[in-house]
Amino acid sequence: MTQKGETNRYDLHSRRRRFLGLDKDQALKGLFGGNALVSIIVLALITFFLFKEGVGFFGQYRQDIELHRRSGIEYVEIMKEQSAAFTDLNRYLNSIRGEHATLLQEQGMAFKDARAELKVYEEFIYAFEDLGYPVSEYALEMAEVAIGARDMYEESANLREHRENLLALGRDEEAADVEVLDVDLSLFVGMLKEGEADFLALNDALAAGLLSHIEKLPVIGIDSLDAKMQRFAELSRMFVGELEGYESRLAEWDPDLPVNMVSAFGSFLFGKNWVTNSSIQDWYGILPLFTGSLLVATIAMFFAIPLGVGAAIYVNQVAKPAEQNFIKPYIEFISAIPSVVIGFFGIAVFGQFVREVSGWTILSGFDIFPISERLTAFTAGCLLALMAIPTIFTLAEDAINNVPKSFKEASLAMGATRLQTTLRIIVPTSLSGIISAVLLGFGRVVGETMVVLLCAGNRIEIPNFTNGIGTFFEPVHTMTGIIAQELGEVVNGSIHYRALFMVGMVLFLISLLINYLAQKIVLKYQISRG
Amino acid sequence: MTLLTDTLKDSAISPKATTSMSSETSDPSRPLIRVSDFDFFYGEKQALFDINMEMLENEVTAFIGPSGCGKSTLLRCINRMNDLVDVARIGRGKIEVNDADIYDPRVDTIELRKRVGMVFQKSNPFPKSIYENVIYGLRIQGINKKSVLDEAVERCLKGAALWDEVKDRLDTSGLSLSGGQQQRLCIARALAVEPDILLMDEPCSALDPVATAKVEELIHSLKDQYTIVIVTHNMQQAARVSDKTAFFYLGKLIEMAKTDEIFMSPKNEQTEAYISGRFG
C-alpha cells in the first residue's frame, strides 16, 4: 500500500483481474466443477448404454423360448434326454470293460490274449447298443423335422421383415419380388405328435429287449467287476422304470402353452446352460458363469484375506521402520503388474506347477490328485489372490493406522503385551475397516477379466460341488471371461449380443452392491469411534 | 539390590501388602520412586539433564513448568512408556521404583506397568462397554471369572467416583460418556490392575472446571492408597492437589519442595518468576 499511497485505501471494489467476466477463483471453481460434471455424465451414459443394450434381451429371449416350444424342439428334446440316459448306461458298460482291460495290462498279459479275454464283452455290448439304436434314430429324425420347421419359420419371419422394410422405403416392386412363405408350425408339431404312437412302440420294444438282455449278463469271474455288472443290470432296470416318465412328459407336452416374461427371466438367472451357436437351440443361463466367478473369487479370497490382513497387521504393529519401508512399497508394487502378464505367467508357469505338485506322493492320499487339468479355478484363484492382496493390504493397513495411537498407549500402559494390544484393541477397533477392505478386494477379484480368461480353463459348466476339494480343480468359465471372449464375435443387436450385456449388468450390480456394503461398513466404523 | 520383579511378586501374593506394610512401619517419608543423576535423550537432543528427586509414598507430587520443559518426558520414563519412541535413550543415571532399578535389562515392562498405572492427557476409553473398559487390565491377565470381574468393576468405579453415575448402564459404550466421566473411567480402568503408583499426564487439560473439580477431588481421595505423580499446566491445580511440587525448566529440575513452600516462598528466581506468571 505504501507505493500506492495516493489511491484511496477505502476503495473496496474488487481489483482482481478478470477473464471472460470471471476472476481467478470463479474460473478455477468452474474448471473443477466442470470436471466433476463430465465424469458424472460419462458414468450416467455408460449405465444408460448398458441398460439400453441389455434390456431388450428378455423380450427376445422369451420369443426364442416360445419358438422353441411351438416348433416342437422342446418335445424332441425330451426324446433326446431319454437317448442320453441310454448312452450313459452304455458308457457305464464300456467303462467296466475298460477297467478289465487295464487290469489285464497291469498283469502283463499280451495284447492278443487280452483281446481274447475281453471277447466275453463284445457281443453283449454290441447287442446292447443295437437295442437303443431305433429309438435314438427316431429321435434324430424328429429333431430334423422340428429344427427344419423352426428354421423355415425364422427364415420367413426375416423375409417378411425385409419386405416390410422395402415397403416402408417405398420400393414396392422389389417388395413384390420377395416371396414370403407362411409357415404353420402346428402342422409340423402335428407330424411330431402323430408319430408319438410309433415312439411308444419303439420304447416298449426297447424295454422288453433290455430286460431280456440283462438276463444274459456275462459272468467275468472278478468280484469287483461282477459287482459292477450287477449294478449295471440294476441301472438298466431303473432306466426301464423311468421310460414311463419320459412318455408321460411327451403326452403332456403342449405346444401352445404360453411362455411368459418370468420364465425368460428365470431361464436367464437360473438356467444351467450357456449354449451359443448351437444348431438345435441356444440357451443363455447365467448360472454356470456365476458359479464359476464365485468359485474363483472364493479361492482367491481364501488366500488373499489371511495374507493381506496379516501383512497389514504385521507392517503396522510389529515391523520396524526399515521393514515397513521395504514391505509396503513392495506389496503395493504387485498391483502395478498388468493382469495380462499375471495371466501369461499362470499359463506358462503356474498352471503346470500346480499340476506337477498335485502329482507328488505326499498328496496321493487325496483321491482327486493328481489333477489332469492345467488351467482350473484353482490356478486362476491363486493368481487373483495375488492381485487382491495389494488392495486388501493397503486398505486394511489404512484402517489399522486410523486406530488412535492413544488406544494403543492406554492398552500398553495397562501392562498388556503387544500381541494382546493388537488382538484385543487394534483389530476389533479397525474391524469394520478391515471388512470393507476385504469386500473391496472381493469386488476387484469378481471384476477381474484377463487372468480368468487366460487361466480358468473356460469350460462352461456348473462345477460339480459334490467333488469335495476336487471342485476347486475343475476348469470353469466366468462372467467377465465370457464377455471378453464372445463380445467380439457376436452380431450387433442379436440376442447373444444382448445376453452378454445382461451379464455385464449382473456384474455391474454385484460391484455396486459390494461397494455400497463397504461404504456402509466404513460409515458405521466412523460413528463407533465417536 | 532386589530385583523389581521379585518385589512385585511378593506384593502380588497379597495386593495390599505394600500399603499395609507402609502403615505398619509408619514411615511416611519412605521414597517409593527415586530418580538419580538421570539424563535422557531423544536421538541427539537431550531432553532431561541430571535429574535427582524422590517421590514419597502416599503423597501427591506435581510437576510444573512451561511446555517442553521435560516434565511429561520424565513422567513417561517412570513406567517406561518412552520405550515406544524409537529414538529415546537414557544417557546416565537410573530410576528406582520400590528400590528396584526399572531400567535393569531383566525387568519386564509388562510387570512394571501393572504396578505403575498411567492416566493420559486426552481421555482414551476403548470403544467397548464401560464394563469391559474397566476390566480390560484383568482380562489381559486372563481373569475371566464373572464374580471377580463384577466386584472389580464396582470397586474401581466407586474408587473413581463414577459408580453412581453409570451403574445402570454398564453395557453402554465408554465413548458415550461426557469428557469428565471418560477421564474418570480411564482412572477406574487404571485402578483395576491395583497399581501402587498412578502417573497422570495433565489429566484435566481437556476438561471444564466442574469436571476438573471432580477429578481433583478424586485425586485427593486416592492419595490414601496410591502414590500419585501429576503433570499439570495449571498452577492453582498443583497448589490444590499436591503435597510436593517440582518445577522444571529446559529439561532441568530447578526446584522441588513442599507445595506450600514453593508457592509461598520459592527459593529460586526462575521459579518465582514462573509462579507469579512473569514467564512461561
PDB file of all heavy atoms in Angstrom, chain B residues 61-66 69 71-72 75 200-205 212 216 229-242 245-246 263 274:
ATOM      1  N   THR B  61       2.699 -35.740  44.071  1.00  0.00           N
ATOM      2  CA  THR B  61       3.760 -34.858  43.609  1.00  0.00           C
ATOM      3  C   THR B  61       3.319 -34.228  42.299  1.00  0.00           C
ATOM      4  O   THR B  61       2.871 -34.934  41.398  1.00  0.00           O
ATOM      5  CB  THR B  61       5.056 -35.652  43.374  1.00  0.00           C
ATOM      6  OG1 THR B  61       5.325 -36.417  44.542  1.00  0.00           O
ATOM      7  CG2 THR B  61       6.213 -34.719  43.067  1.00  0.00           C
ATOM      8  N   ALA B  62       3.420 -32.913  42.215  1.00  0.00           N
ATOM      9  CA  ALA B  62       3.037 -32.240  40.976  1.00  0.00           C
ATOM     10  C   ALA B  62       4.288 -31.791  40.236  1.00  0.00           C
ATOM     11  O   ALA B  62       5.238 -31.298  40.850  1.00  0.00           O
ATOM     12  CB  ALA B  62       2.149 -31.043  41.282  1.00  0.00           C
ATOM     13  N   PHE B  63       4.282 -32.004  38.898  1.00  0.00           N
ATOM     14  CA  PHE B  63       5.357 -31.478  38.052  1.00  0.00           C
ATOM     15  C   PHE B  63       4.796 -30.250  37.350  1.00  0.00           C
ATOM     16  O   PHE B  63       3.773 -30.349  36.658  1.00  0.00           O
ATOM     17  CB  PHE B  63       5.765 -32.487  36.980  1.00  0.00           C
ATOM     18  CG  PHE B  63       6.507 -33.698  37.477  1.00  0.00           C
ATOM     19  CD1 PHE B  63       6.805 -33.872  38.832  1.00  0.00           C
ATOM     20  CD2 PHE B  63       6.931 -34.674  36.577  1.00  0.00           C
ATOM     21  CE1 PHE B  63       7.488 -34.989  39.276  1.00  0.00           C
ATOM     22  CE2 PHE B  63       7.611 -35.796  37.014  1.00  0.00           C
ATOM     23  CZ  PHE B  63       7.884 -35.956  38.364  1.00  0.00           C
ATOM     24  N   ILE B  64       5.451 -29.097  37.522  1.00  0.00           N
ATOM     25  CA  ILE B  64       5.007 -27.919  36.766  1.00  0.00           C
ATOM     26  C   ILE B  64       6.171 -27.382  35.952  1.00  0.00           C
ATOM     27  O   ILE B  64       7.324 -27.772  36.147  1.00  0.00           O
ATOM     28  CB  ILE B  64       4.451 -26.809  37.687  1.00  0.00           C
ATOM     29  CG1 ILE B  64       5.527 -26.370  38.701  1.00  0.00           C
ATOM     30  CG2 ILE B  64       3.206 -27.277  38.412  1.00  0.00           C
ATOM     31  CD1 ILE B  64       5.150 -25.110  39.460  1.00  0.00           C
ATOM     32  N   GLY B  65       5.844 -26.494  35.042  1.00  0.00           N
ATOM     33  CA  GLY B  65       6.875 -25.913  34.193  1.00  0.00           C
ATOM     34  C   GLY B  65       6.314 -25.600  32.837  1.00  0.00           C
ATOM     35  O   GLY B  65       5.252 -26.112  32.465  1.00  0.00           O
ATOM     36  N   PRO B  66       6.966 -24.727  32.064  1.00  0.00           N
ATOM     37  CA  PRO B  66       6.462 -24.357  30.741  1.00  0.00           C
ATOM     38  C   PRO B  66       6.535 -25.544  29.769  1.00  0.00           C
ATOM     39  O   PRO B  66       7.237 -26.506  30.029  1.00  0.00           O
ATOM     40  CB  PRO B  66       7.397 -23.225  30.305  1.00  0.00           C
ATOM     41  CG  PRO B  66       8.636 -23.427  31.095  1.00  0.00           C
ATOM     42  CD  PRO B  66       8.219 -24.035  32.393  1.00  0.00           C
ATOM     43  N   CYS B  69       9.473 -28.489  28.856  1.00  0.00           N
ATOM     44  CA  CYS B  69      10.489 -28.460  29.896  1.00  0.00           C
ATOM     45  C   CYS B  69      10.895 -29.858  30.329  1.00  0.00           C
ATOM     46  O   CYS B  69      11.796 -30.014  31.140  1.00  0.00           O
ATOM     47  CB  CYS B  69       9.992 -27.676  31.096  1.00  0.00           C
ATOM     48  SG  CYS B  69       8.662 -28.528  31.940  1.00  0.00           S
ATOM     49  N   LYS B  71       8.799 -32.266  31.724  1.00  0.00           N
ATOM     50  CA  LYS B  71       8.058 -32.876  32.841  1.00  0.00           C
ATOM     51  C   LYS B  71       7.286 -34.123  32.394  1.00  0.00           C
ATOM     52  O   LYS B  71       7.301 -35.143  33.093  1.00  0.00           O
ATOM     53  CB  LYS B  71       7.132 -31.852  33.511  1.00  0.00           C
ATOM     54  CG  LYS B  71       6.160 -31.156  32.581  1.00  0.00           C
ATOM     55  CD  LYS B  71       5.523 -29.962  33.260  1.00  0.00           C
ATOM     56  CE  LYS B  71       4.378 -29.372  32.466  1.00  0.00           C
ATOM     57  NZ  LYS B  71       4.686 -28.963  31.076  1.00  0.00           N
ATOM     58  N   SER B  72       6.663 -34.042  31.201  1.00  0.00           N
ATOM     59  CA  SER B  72       5.958 -35.228  30.700  1.00  0.00           C
ATOM     60  C   SER B  72       6.934 -36.334  30.346  1.00  0.00           C
ATOM     61  O   SER B  72       6.658 -37.526  30.539  1.00  0.00           O
ATOM     62  CB  SER B  72       5.142 -34.870  29.460  1.00  0.00           C
ATOM     63  OG  SER B  72       3.976 -34.185  29.843  1.00  0.00           O
ATOM     64  N   LEU B  75       7.808 -38.151  33.395  1.00  0.00           N
ATOM     65  CA  LEU B  75       6.675 -38.970  33.831  1.00  0.00           C
ATOM     66  C   LEU B  75       6.619 -40.272  33.055  1.00  0.00           C
ATOM     67  O   LEU B  75       6.432 -41.353  33.613  1.00  0.00           O
ATOM     68  CB  LEU B  75       5.375 -38.179  33.649  1.00  0.00           C
ATOM     69  CG  LEU B  75       4.152 -38.797  34.320  1.00  0.00           C
ATOM     70  CD1 LEU B  75       4.183 -38.494  35.798  1.00  0.00           C
ATOM     71  CD2 LEU B  75       2.872 -38.262  33.701  1.00  0.00           C
ATOM     72  N   MET B 200      -0.197 -39.283  36.192  1.00  0.00           N
ATOM     73  CA  MET B 200      -1.269 -38.566  35.489  1.00  0.00           C
ATOM     74  C   MET B 200      -0.645 -37.466  34.663  1.00  0.00           C
ATOM     75  O   MET B 200      -0.001 -36.570  35.196  1.00  0.00           O
ATOM     76  CB  MET B 200      -2.253 -37.981  36.491  1.00  0.00           C
ATOM     77  CG  MET B 200      -2.950 -39.040  37.318  1.00  0.00           C
ATOM     78  SD  MET B 200      -4.171 -38.275  38.377  1.00  0.00           S
ATOM     79  CE  MET B 200      -5.105 -39.702  38.879  1.00  0.00           C
ATOM     80  N   ASP B 201      -0.872 -37.561  33.349  1.00  0.00           N
ATOM     81  CA  ASP B 201      -0.259 -36.603  32.428  1.00  0.00           C
ATOM     82  C   ASP B 201      -1.302 -35.551  32.058  1.00  0.00           C
ATOM     83  O   ASP B 201      -2.096 -35.771  31.155  1.00  0.00           O
ATOM     84  CB  ASP B 201       0.240 -37.353  31.190  1.00  0.00           C
ATOM     85  CG  ASP B 201       1.120 -36.483  30.332  1.00  0.00           C
ATOM     86  OD1 ASP B 201       1.271 -35.295  30.643  1.00  0.00           O
ATOM     87  OD2 ASP B 201       1.664 -37.008  29.341  1.00  0.00           O
ATOM     88  N   GLU B 202      -1.301 -34.432  32.739  1.00  0.00           N
ATOM     89  CA  GLU B 202      -2.284 -33.364  32.517  1.00  0.00           C
ATOM     90  C   GLU B 202      -3.701 -33.916  32.412  1.00  0.00           C
ATOM     91  O   GLU B 202      -4.365 -33.753  31.384  1.00  0.00           O
ATOM     92  CB  GLU B 202      -1.929 -32.578  31.248  1.00  0.00           C
ATOM     93  CG  GLU B 202      -0.575 -31.907  31.343  1.00  0.00           C
ATOM     94  CD  GLU B 202      -0.260 -31.116  30.089  1.00  0.00           C
ATOM     95  OE1 GLU B 202      -1.163 -30.436  29.610  1.00  0.00           O
ATOM     96  OE2 GLU B 202       0.873 -31.187  29.606  1.00  0.00           O
ATOM     97  N   PRO B 203      -4.198 -34.581  33.435  1.00  0.00           N
ATOM     98  CA  PRO B 203      -5.475 -35.302  33.320  1.00  0.00           C
ATOM     99  C   PRO B 203      -6.673 -34.376  33.147  1.00  0.00           C
ATOM    100  O   PRO B 203      -7.728 -34.824  32.734  1.00  0.00           O
ATOM    101  CB  PRO B 203      -5.572 -36.060  34.645  1.00  0.00           C
ATOM    102  CG  PRO B 203      -4.741 -35.269  35.595  1.00  0.00           C
ATOM    103  CD  PRO B 203      -3.629 -34.691  34.785  1.00  0.00           C
ATOM    104  N   CYS B 204      -6.521 -33.090  33.460  1.00  0.00           N
ATOM    105  CA  CYS B 204      -7.693 -32.209  33.407  1.00  0.00           C
ATOM    106  C   CYS B 204      -7.609 -31.174  32.300  1.00  0.00           C
ATOM    107  O   CYS B 204      -8.452 -30.285  32.212  1.00  0.00           O
ATOM    108  CB  CYS B 204      -7.863 -31.488  34.744  1.00  0.00           C
ATOM    109  SG  CYS B 204      -8.025 -32.633  36.109  1.00  0.00           S
ATOM    110  N   SER B 205      -6.579 -31.267  31.448  1.00  0.00           N
ATOM    111  CA  SER B 205      -6.375 -30.177  30.492  1.00  0.00           C
ATOM    112  C   SER B 205      -7.499 -30.091  29.478  1.00  0.00           C
ATOM    113  O   SER B 205      -7.716 -29.051  28.885  1.00  0.00           O
ATOM    114  CB  SER B 205      -5.038 -30.330  29.790  1.00  0.00           C
ATOM    115  OG  SER B 205      -5.073 -31.481  28.987  1.00  0.00           O
ATOM    116  N   THR B 212     -13.176 -30.820  36.174  1.00  0.00           N
ATOM    117  CA  THR B 212     -11.848 -30.727  36.769  1.00  0.00           C
ATOM    118  C   THR B 212     -11.934 -30.837  38.284  1.00  0.00           C
ATOM    119  O   THR B 212     -11.177 -31.584  38.913  1.00  0.00           O
ATOM    120  CB  THR B 212     -11.199 -29.385  36.393  1.00  0.00           C
ATOM    121  OG1 THR B 212     -11.135 -29.292  34.980  1.00  0.00           O
ATOM    122  CG2 THR B 212      -9.802 -29.269  36.979  1.00  0.00           C
ATOM    123  N   GLU B 216     -10.111 -33.565  40.621  1.00  0.00           N
ATOM    124  CA  GLU B 216      -9.196 -33.152  41.694  1.00  0.00           C
ATOM    125  C   GLU B 216      -9.616 -33.755  43.033  1.00  0.00           C
ATOM    126  O   GLU B 216      -8.799 -34.258  43.807  1.00  0.00           O
ATOM    127  CB  GLU B 216      -9.145 -31.632  41.786  1.00  0.00           C
ATOM    128  CG  GLU B 216      -8.335 -31.015  40.655  1.00  0.00           C
ATOM    129  CD  GLU B 216      -8.329 -29.502  40.720  1.00  0.00           C
ATOM    130  OE1 GLU B 216      -8.895 -28.944  41.673  1.00  0.00           O
ATOM    131  OE2 GLU B 216      -7.757 -28.882  39.804  1.00  0.00           O
ATOM    132  N   VAL B 229       1.722 -39.136  40.858  1.00  0.00           N
ATOM    133  CA  VAL B 229       2.551 -38.100  40.248  1.00  0.00           C
ATOM    134  C   VAL B 229       1.701 -37.446  39.167  1.00  0.00           C
ATOM    135  O   VAL B 229       1.148 -38.141  38.309  1.00  0.00           O
ATOM    136  CB  VAL B 229       3.829 -38.682  39.618  1.00  0.00           C
ATOM    137  CG1 VAL B 229       4.696 -37.565  39.063  1.00  0.00           C
ATOM    138  CG2 VAL B 229       4.604 -39.498  40.625  1.00  0.00           C
ATOM    139  N   ILE B 230       1.562 -36.130  39.224  1.00  0.00           N
ATOM    140  CA  ILE B 230       0.676 -35.467  38.268  1.00  0.00           C
ATOM    141  C   ILE B 230       1.415 -34.343  37.554  1.00  0.00           C
ATOM    142  O   ILE B 230       2.105 -33.551  38.178  1.00  0.00           O
ATOM    143  CB  ILE B 230      -0.599 -34.944  38.985  1.00  0.00           C
ATOM    144  CG1 ILE B 230      -1.497 -34.201  38.006  1.00  0.00           C
ATOM    145  CG2 ILE B 230      -0.262 -34.083  40.179  1.00  0.00           C
ATOM    146  CD1 ILE B 230      -2.859 -33.861  38.591  1.00  0.00           C
ATOM    147  N   VAL B 231       1.298 -34.340  36.231  1.00  0.00           N
ATOM    148  CA  VAL B 231       1.866 -33.245  35.444  1.00  0.00           C
ATOM    149  C   VAL B 231       0.745 -32.255  35.174  1.00  0.00           C
ATOM    150  O   VAL B 231      -0.353 -32.663  34.796  1.00  0.00           O
ATOM    151  CB  VAL B 231       2.419 -33.772  34.108  1.00  0.00           C
ATOM    152  CG1 VAL B 231       2.701 -32.623  33.162  1.00  0.00           C
ATOM    153  CG2 VAL B 231       3.673 -34.586  34.336  1.00  0.00           C
ATOM    154  N   THR B 232       0.987 -30.990  35.416  1.00  0.00           N
ATOM    155  CA  THR B 232      -0.090 -30.029  35.164  1.00  0.00           C
ATOM    156  C   THR B 232       0.457 -28.692  34.696  1.00  0.00           C
ATOM    157  O   THR B 232       1.574 -28.294  35.036  1.00  0.00           O
ATOM    158  CB  THR B 232      -0.965 -29.835  36.418  1.00  0.00           C
ATOM    159  OG1 THR B 232      -1.952 -28.863  36.142  1.00  0.00           O
ATOM    160  CG2 THR B 232      -0.138 -29.386  37.609  1.00  0.00           C
ATOM    161  N   HIS B 233      -0.346 -28.024  33.882  1.00  0.00           N
ATOM    162  CA  HIS B 233      -0.018 -26.682  33.448  1.00  0.00           C
ATOM    163  C   HIS B 233      -0.686 -25.646  34.345  1.00  0.00           C
ATOM    164  O   HIS B 233      -0.407 -24.469  34.254  1.00  0.00           O
ATOM    165  CB  HIS B 233      -0.503 -26.454  32.011  1.00  0.00           C
ATOM    166  CG  HIS B 233       0.557 -26.747  31.007  1.00  0.00           C
ATOM    167  ND1 HIS B 233       0.391 -27.667  30.009  1.00  0.00           N
ATOM    168  CD2 HIS B 233       1.805 -26.265  30.879  1.00  0.00           C
ATOM    169  CE1 HIS B 233       1.490 -27.741  29.294  1.00  0.00           C
ATOM    170  NE2 HIS B 233       2.366 -26.902  29.803  1.00  0.00           N
ATOM    171  N   ASN B 234      -1.601 -26.176  35.138  1.00  0.00           N
ATOM    172  CA  ASN B 234      -2.454 -25.290  35.915  1.00  0.00           C
ATOM    173  C   ASN B 234      -1.887 -25.181  37.325  1.00  0.00           C
ATOM    174  O   ASN B 234      -1.938 -26.123  38.108  1.00  0.00           O
ATOM    175  CB  ASN B 234      -3.857 -25.905  35.913  1.00  0.00           C
ATOM    176  CG  ASN B 234      -4.843 -25.074  36.690  1.00  0.00           C
ATOM    177  OD1 ASN B 234      -4.467 -24.344  37.610  1.00  0.00           O
ATOM    178  ND2 ASN B 234      -6.101 -25.178  36.317  1.00  0.00           N
ATOM    179  N   MET B 235      -1.331 -23.986  37.667  1.00  0.00           N
ATOM    180  CA  MET B 235      -0.624 -23.880  38.947  1.00  0.00           C
ATOM    181  C   MET B 235      -1.569 -23.906  40.128  1.00  0.00           C
ATOM    182  O   MET B 235      -1.223 -24.409  41.186  1.00  0.00           O
ATOM    183  CB  MET B 235       0.233 -22.631  38.956  1.00  0.00           C
ATOM    184  CG  MET B 235       1.589 -22.954  38.361  1.00  0.00           C
ATOM    185  SD  MET B 235       2.515 -21.515  37.992  1.00  0.00           S
ATOM    186  CE  MET B 235       1.611 -20.763  36.722  1.00  0.00           C
ATOM    187  N   GLN B 236      -2.806 -23.394  39.931  1.00  0.00           N
ATOM    188  CA  GLN B 236      -3.784 -23.493  41.014  1.00  0.00           C
ATOM    189  C   GLN B 236      -4.054 -24.958  41.325  1.00  0.00           C
ATOM    190  O   GLN B 236      -4.204 -25.355  42.465  1.00  0.00           O
ATOM    191  CB  GLN B 236      -5.097 -22.807  40.629  1.00  0.00           C
ATOM    192  CG  GLN B 236      -5.046 -21.294  40.697  1.00  0.00           C
ATOM    193  CD  GLN B 236      -4.299 -20.711  39.501  1.00  0.00           C
ATOM    194  OE1 GLN B 236      -4.252 -21.334  38.457  1.00  0.00           O
ATOM    195  NE2 GLN B 236      -3.716 -19.544  39.675  1.00  0.00           N
ATOM    196  N   GLN B 237      -4.114 -25.742  40.241  1.00  0.00           N
ATOM    197  CA  GLN B 237      -4.365 -27.168  40.436  1.00  0.00           C
ATOM    198  C   GLN B 237      -3.236 -27.803  41.243  1.00  0.00           C
ATOM    199  O   GLN B 237      -3.482 -28.546  42.186  1.00  0.00           O
ATOM    200  CB  GLN B 237      -4.483 -27.871  39.088  1.00  0.00           C
ATOM    201  CG  GLN B 237      -4.852 -29.321  39.216  1.00  0.00           C
ATOM    202  CD  GLN B 237      -5.178 -29.924  37.871  1.00  0.00           C
ATOM    203  OE1 GLN B 237      -4.306 -29.982  37.016  1.00  0.00           O
ATOM    204  NE2 GLN B 237      -6.405 -30.327  37.690  1.00  0.00           N
ATOM    205  N   ALA B 238      -2.012 -27.489  40.844  1.00  0.00           N
ATOM    206  CA  ALA B 238      -0.868 -28.028  41.588  1.00  0.00           C
ATOM    207  C   ALA B 238      -0.978 -27.629  43.051  1.00  0.00           C
ATOM    208  O   ALA B 238      -0.787 -28.450  43.957  1.00  0.00           O
ATOM    209  CB  ALA B 238       0.431 -27.511  40.986  1.00  0.00           C
ATOM    210  N   ALA B 239      -1.331 -26.388  43.277  1.00  0.00           N
ATOM    211  CA  ALA B 239      -1.442 -25.903  44.654  1.00  0.00           C
ATOM    212  C   ALA B 239      -2.550 -26.634  45.399  1.00  0.00           C
ATOM    213  O   ALA B 239      -2.419 -26.939  46.577  1.00  0.00           O
ATOM    214  CB  ALA B 239      -1.714 -24.407  44.644  1.00  0.00           C
ATOM    215  N   ARG B 240      -3.643 -26.943  44.688  1.00  0.00           N
ATOM    216  CA  ARG B 240      -4.785 -27.576  45.350  1.00  0.00           C
ATOM    217  C   ARG B 240      -4.535 -29.029  45.678  1.00  0.00           C
ATOM    218  O   ARG B 240      -4.878 -29.493  46.753  1.00  0.00           O
ATOM    219  CB  ARG B 240      -6.031 -27.454  44.466  1.00  0.00           C
ATOM    220  CG  ARG B 240      -6.701 -26.099  44.501  1.00  0.00           C
ATOM    221  CD  ARG B 240      -8.071 -26.176  43.861  1.00  0.00           C
ATOM    222  NE  ARG B 240      -8.000 -26.589  42.450  1.00  0.00           N
ATOM    223  CZ  ARG B 240      -8.011 -25.718  41.437  1.00  0.00           C
ATOM    224  NH1 ARG B 240      -8.097 -24.431  41.654  1.00  0.00           N
ATOM    225  NH2 ARG B 240      -7.953 -26.147  40.196  1.00  0.00           N
ATOM    226  N   VAL B 241      -3.954 -29.782  44.728  1.00  0.00           N
ATOM    227  CA  VAL B 241      -3.956 -31.233  44.917  1.00  0.00           C
ATOM    228  C   VAL B 241      -2.651 -31.800  45.467  1.00  0.00           C
ATOM    229  O   VAL B 241      -2.648 -32.892  46.011  1.00  0.00           O
ATOM    230  CB  VAL B 241      -4.292 -31.987  43.612  1.00  0.00           C
ATOM    231  CG1 VAL B 241      -5.659 -31.580  43.103  1.00  0.00           C
ATOM    232  CG2 VAL B 241      -3.219 -31.778  42.573  1.00  0.00           C
ATOM    233  N   SER B 242      -1.537 -31.081  45.347  1.00  0.00           N
ATOM    234  CA  SER B 242      -0.278 -31.782  45.595  1.00  0.00           C
ATOM    235  C   SER B 242       0.298 -31.494  46.963  1.00  0.00           C
ATOM    236  O   SER B 242       0.026 -30.474  47.587  1.00  0.00           O
ATOM    237  CB  SER B 242       0.740 -31.408  44.522  1.00  0.00           C
ATOM    238  OG  SER B 242       1.094 -30.071  44.643  1.00  0.00           O
ATOM    239  N   THR B 245       5.780 -30.127  45.076  1.00  0.00           N
ATOM    240  CA  THR B 245       5.762 -29.610  43.715  1.00  0.00           C
ATOM    241  C   THR B 245       7.196 -29.521  43.203  1.00  0.00           C
ATOM    242  O   THR B 245       8.105 -29.117  43.938  1.00  0.00           O
ATOM    243  CB  THR B 245       5.114 -28.214  43.659  1.00  0.00           C
ATOM    244  OG1 THR B 245       3.753 -28.331  44.083  1.00  0.00           O
ATOM    245  CG2 THR B 245       5.149 -27.646  42.251  1.00  0.00           C
ATOM    246  N   ALA B 246       7.340 -29.941  41.942  1.00  0.00           N
ATOM    247  CA  ALA B 246       8.661 -29.853  41.325  1.00  0.00           C
ATOM    248  C   ALA B 246       8.551 -28.937  40.119  1.00  0.00           C
ATOM    249  O   ALA B 246       7.654 -29.107  39.284  1.00  0.00           O
ATOM    250  CB  ALA B 246       9.129 -31.230  40.895  1.00  0.00           C
ATOM    251  N   PHE B 263       5.052 -22.316  46.645  1.00  0.00           N
ATOM    252  CA  PHE B 263       4.157 -21.250  46.190  1.00  0.00           C
ATOM    253  C   PHE B 263       4.286 -19.991  47.048  1.00  0.00           C
ATOM    254  O   PHE B 263       4.094 -18.893  46.553  1.00  0.00           O
ATOM    255  CB  PHE B 263       2.706 -21.744  46.165  1.00  0.00           C
ATOM    256  CG  PHE B 263       2.397 -22.532  44.932  1.00  0.00           C
ATOM    257  CD1 PHE B 263       2.466 -23.920  44.923  1.00  0.00           C
ATOM    258  CD2 PHE B 263       2.063 -21.878  43.741  1.00  0.00           C
ATOM    259  CE1 PHE B 263       2.205 -24.637  43.774  1.00  0.00           C
ATOM    260  CE2 PHE B 263       1.806 -22.599  42.599  1.00  0.00           C
ATOM    261  CZ  PHE B 263       1.880 -23.984  42.605  1.00  0.00           C
ATOM    262  N   TYR B 274       8.072 -17.846  37.283  1.00  0.00           N
ATOM    263  CA  TYR B 274       7.077 -18.693  36.622  1.00  0.00           C
ATOM    264  C   TYR B 274       5.775 -18.700  37.408  1.00  0.00           C
ATOM    265  O   TYR B 274       4.697 -18.526  36.846  1.00  0.00           O
ATOM    266  CB  TYR B 274       7.621 -20.113  36.487  1.00  0.00           C
ATOM    267  CG  TYR B 274       6.683 -21.036  35.759  1.00  0.00           C
ATOM    268  CD1 TYR B 274       6.496 -20.898  34.390  1.00  0.00           C
ATOM    269  CD2 TYR B 274       5.963 -22.004  36.440  1.00  0.00           C
ATOM    270  CE1 TYR B 274       5.622 -21.725  33.715  1.00  0.00           C
ATOM    271  CE2 TYR B 274       5.087 -22.836  35.781  1.00  0.00           C
ATOM    272  CZ  TYR B 274       4.918 -22.694  34.411  1.00  0.00           C
ATOM    273  OH  TYR B 274       4.047 -23.506  33.742  1.00  0.00           O
TER     274      TYR B 274
END
